Structure formats: structure tokens, C-alpha cells
Amino acid sequence: MTVGTQLGFDRLIKAMDALAPTLDMPVLAQTGAGEYKPVNMEAHARIAPDEFEKLVQSASLIVSHAGIGTVLTAQRFGRPIVLMPRRASLGEHRNDHQLATADKLSSRTGILVAMDETELADRIAEGLAQKDWPMDRSSGADELHAAVAEFIETGRL
């Protein structure tokens, strides 16, 4: 799971930490600048971009804030992703653009949305059931996804 590297998102980290013992697999978290320290999953404040990509490639499912860089990376490697958007009203971001992002992406194959922590377990179960979801892309999509993800993650093209 990841909440990106710029802001904390303790609500999602706490929810995943509570669910981790119920999942039949190891859970690794990139926790960003949050204050909550997980006890049931391996956690790192930051994971280098190349290591992050390797982890996404080997993951069965990604659980994330609604950050577009993570969505593109999951799509690039054909991994299902569960998004839980940050909320400005809870002090998790400066505005609610992640709610708009999650709403726009929720109809896409391989992308599931948990609007809050009460929906997370069900969306994870649905995501894990989508192990072989078809990737629906044009021929240049892989290159475009890679370039945008690289730019978002490193600032370089």
C-alpha cells in the first residue's frame, strides 16, 4: 500500500494496519509523512522509485491514496488498485481533487474505490479476485504511462 511521499494519510494506514492480519499475504506500506506507526505490516516512510516499481510488479494488489502517479504505475504493470481518496475536510489535503480523481477513475477496469475505511475490506477482496483483469490500452499507452509516471515520481523526462 502507498500514500505517496509528500503527505501523511494516517486514516488509510491505520485501516490497512487493522486489515493486514486478516489478509493471507504480507503487506508492505509506503507511509509518507504520517505519524501513525503500523504494527501489523512492514512500513517505510519512503521507497525509491525503482524499488517501488519492482514492488508494484510483484504485488497482487495495490491499495493507495488517489494519487495519479500510483494509478499510472499500477496500470503500467497491470495490477489492480484500490483507491481511497484523501479528504480536505479531514485535513488530509488542501482540496478534494482526490475525490474527483477517484470518481472519474472508478468505472475503469482494474480500479476500485473505497470512499472511506468502512469500504476498504470489500474493495480489497474484489481487487484480489481480479488477478487476471484485461489491460485495455492502445499501442503507445505503455510508453506514455511510463513517461508520465517517471515525470511525476522524479521530475525528469
Side-chain angles (χ1 to χ4, degrees), residues 43-60:
H44 304 271
R46 185 177 174 88
I47 298 172
D50 58 336
E51 180 64 21
F52 184 80
E53 286 191 2
K54 289 177 187 172
L55 291 167
V56 169
Q57 284 180 289
S58 66
S60 300

Side-chain angles (χ1 to χ4, degrees), residues 83-120:
L83 302 176
M84 187 169 116
R86 299 172 191 265
R87 294 180 181 269
S89 63
L90 299 176
E92 296 167 342
H93 218 301
R94 61 187 163 274
N95 60 42
D96 280 328
H97 74 276
Q98 288 203 355
L99 288 170
T101 298
D103 183 56
K104 285 289 185 187
L105 296 176
S106 65
S107 63
R108 294 191 175 224
T109 302
I111 299 175
L112 300 141
V113 175
M115 292 309 291
D116 61 35
E117 54 272 41
T118 65
E119 297 179 359
L120 198 55

Side-chain angles (χ1 to χ4, degrees), residues 25-41:
M25 62 186 65
V27 179
L28 188 130
Q30 177 174 268
T31 59
E35 294 180 10
Y36 179 77
K37 303 296 180 210
V39 295
N40 297 311
M41 56 187 182

Side-chain angles (χ1 to χ4, degrees), residues 53-54 56-57 72-79 135 137:
E53 286 191 2
K54 289 177 187 172
V56 169
Q57 284 180 289
L72 291 172
T73 301
Q75 293 274 292
R76 183 160 37 114
F77 295 114
R79 295 294 177 257
M135 293 177 49
R137 293 193 256 190

